[in-house]
Amino acid sequence: MAVHFFLQMCFGFRASREEVGAVINILVYLPSFTLFAMAIYNIEATHTNRRKMNMVCAAVYAAMLAVFGTGYYVTGSLNMGVWLYVMLAIFFGNMLYCIYMIIIEMNKRKKLLETMTATDMRPFTRYAHASLTLLFITAAIIPFAILSTKSLYIIGPFGLVATLFFIVNFVALGFNYVPTEELLDKERGNNLTADAVNAENEEESVKCDAQQSAPETGSEQTSQQLPASRIAFIRSALDHWCADLGYKDCTVNMLTLSHLLGINKTELSQYFSQCQNTTFRIWLGEIRFNAAKKMMIENPDFSNDIISSECGFSSRSYLYKIFKEKEGCTPVAWREKQ
């Protein structure tokens, strides 16, 4: 963007003709937007698919330079006529691709957090979506604003404010959520023993289901069912963890719990879905909710801040949300009923 400002101020492309200024804008805005999109993608990405995006974006910019070179060769000047709109179409297509990739990764990250963490997801869904929406609006308008100097006076500052909001938002989120790469690193370590554990479970499951007829249970269903011995072991481990007040740790997630208990993450997930008919996040929320009600009864003088902190809730607002969902009232109103 600094290069763009230097070119426009020193050579006066925009002052000479708006179409000429638009050509320079596109040539500079495309790599600027692409680099920014890649930065967002790196924040959101839950897998190593960055090389594909880098190659696609590089190919798009190469096509842009080819169109620019062809237009300049044909017209003999920066006033390229129809070639300007071809460049604009490529620019717009590149932005749509980048936005599409970011949305995909954002949804994957949200799903990962919902699976792994047990904290309130509203900060993620509210502020992350709001900041990206502002950026997407700016990106959608820029291809049209490039052709008009007056509109850039409005879109430019709006885009800078949206960028600032995005940066502040994700810096703040970084202090509240375990980074995706750290989760994935732990998951890779967890999966090193997954094959051995699954093989053992499958063998035991086959023994447990040997008395059942083949048409009634498929091999695929059998391999997905936890054997009774593992169910009992996991239930006992979770009961001991709750008895030791492990739920007070507001930073706990599926991976840290699986490492602490020595149980594979896949097994934990299967246990919650098959035996509890729920997810880790909902199960832990229920444990904390019951602990909060018990503490409120035993310690009526405790404030809601103390209750939420002692029971592992990430914030007082999350405690209020749980009570609203399960009791239909606030914690204060619930106390008054007791």
Side-chain angles (χ1 to χ4, degrees):
M1 299 305 293
V3 170
H4 169 259
F5 181 80
F6 175 80
L7 291 174
Q8 293 285 22
M9 292 300 102
C10 292
F11 296 96
F13 293 114
R14 175 68 71 174
S16 62
R17 191 176 181 89
E18 285 201 343
E19 289 80 1
V20 174
V23 171
I24 303 301
N25 284 346
I26 295 174
L27 288 175
V28 178
Y29 285 170
L30 179 59
S32 298
F33 174 81
T34 300
L35 289 173
F36 195 77
M38 288 179 179
I40 301 174
Y41 189 81
N42 286 336
I43 292 175
E44 294 291 337
T46 57
H47 57 81
T48 56
N49 198 28
R50 297 162 187 156
R51 183 178 179 182
K52 175 185 176 182
M53 184 174 180
N54 294 342
M55 293 178 63
V56 171
C57 291
V60 170
Y61 194 62
M64 174 72 75
L65 293 178
V67 171
F68 169 75
T70 303
Y72 186 80
Y73 176 79
V74 172
T75 60
S77 67
L78 293 176
N79 187 16
M80 299 180 178
V82 69
W83 293 100
L84 166 62
Y85 297 98
V86 176
M87 294 174 63
L88 200 61
I90 295 176
F91 181 32
F92 191 69
N94 180 75
M95 287 199 304
L96 290 179
Y97 169 77
C98 291
I99 291 173
Y100 171 74
M101 294 295 290
I102 290 171
I103 290 176
I104 289 178
E105 292 304 323
M106 197 170 86
N107 290 333
K108 288 181 179 179
R109 179 179 176 86
K110 178 183 176 182
K111 184 177 180 181
L112 175 67
L113 289 174
E114 287 179 340
T115 303
M116 300 297 179
T117 65
T119 55
D120 188 6
M121 291 299 298
R122 284 184 301 173
F124 178 85
T125 57
R126 180 182 298 168
Y127 298 109
H129 286 184
S131 63
L132 284 174
T133 298
L134 290 176
L135 286 177
F136 293 163
I137 291 174
T138 305
I141 297 175
I142 279 182
F144 306 98
I146 283 176
L147 300 175
S148 172
T149 302
K150 294 180 180 179
S151 61
L152 282 176
Y153 286 135
I154 301 174
I155 301 303
F158 178 79
L160 291 176
V161 171
T163 302
L164 177 62
F165 179 63
F166 169 82
I167 294 173
V168 172
N169 171 49
F170 274 94
V171 168
L173 281 177
F175 288 101
N176 292 284
Y177 295 109
V178 179
T180 302
E181 294 300 330
E182 183 177 341
L183 285 175
L184 292 177
D185 288 341
K186 290 179 180 179
E187 187 171 10
R188 293 188 192 101
N190 224 23
N191 286 336
L192 290 177
T193 58
D195 293 339
V197 173
N198 289 336
E200 180 183 349
N201 291 342
E202 184 174 355
E203 182 179 353
E204 191 167 349
S205 296
V206 171
K207 292 178 181 179
C208 293
D209 296 339
Q211 298 177 351
Q212 298 182 6
S213 60
E216 294 179 354
T217 57
S219 60
E220 184 174 337
Q221 290 180 330
T222 302
S223 63
Q224 293 177 351
Q225 292 294 323
L226 284 174
S229 60
R230 291 302 294 175
I231 292 175
F233 174 79
I234 295 173
R235 181 182 292 114
S236 175
L238 289 174
D239 289 342
H240 280 91
W241 182 75
C242 292
D244 293 337
L245 307 181
Y247 58 84
K248 286 189 173 185
D249 182 8
C250 63
T251 64
V252 68
N253 57 59
M254 177 83 81
L255 289 175
T256 58
L257 181 60
S258 68
H259 281 275
L260 179 65
L261 300 181
I263 301 172
N264 185 268
K265 179 185 72 67
T266 303
E267 284 189 304
L268 268 182
S269 179
Q270 289 178 338
Y271 172 80
F272 289 125
S273 62
Q274 296 174 9
C275 303
Q276 300 292 330
N277 294 321
T278 186
T279 64
F280 164 70
R281 183 165 169 266
I282 296 176
W283 171 84
L284 186 53
E286 186 73 25
I287 297 295
R288 289 169 172 170
F289 172 68
N290 292 330
K293 291 197 297 184
K294 181 180 179 182
M295 185 172 290
M296 286 179 179
I297 295 174
E298 295 176 351
N299 304 278
D301 295 333
F302 280 10
S303 67
N304 289 329
D305 286 325
I306 295 177
I307 297 293
S308 62
S309 176
E310 286 296 314
C311 294
F313 289 101
S314 56
S315 65
R316 183 178 62 178
S317 61
Y318 194 23
L319 176 67
Y320 273 74
K321 178 184 176 183
I322 291 290
F323 266 87
K324 277 288 188 180
E325 290 178 352
K326 297 186 176 297
E327 296 293 339
C329 61
T330 65
V332 176
W334 185 85
R335 285 178 192 246
E336 294 175 350
K337 296 179 185 178
Q338 304 310 307

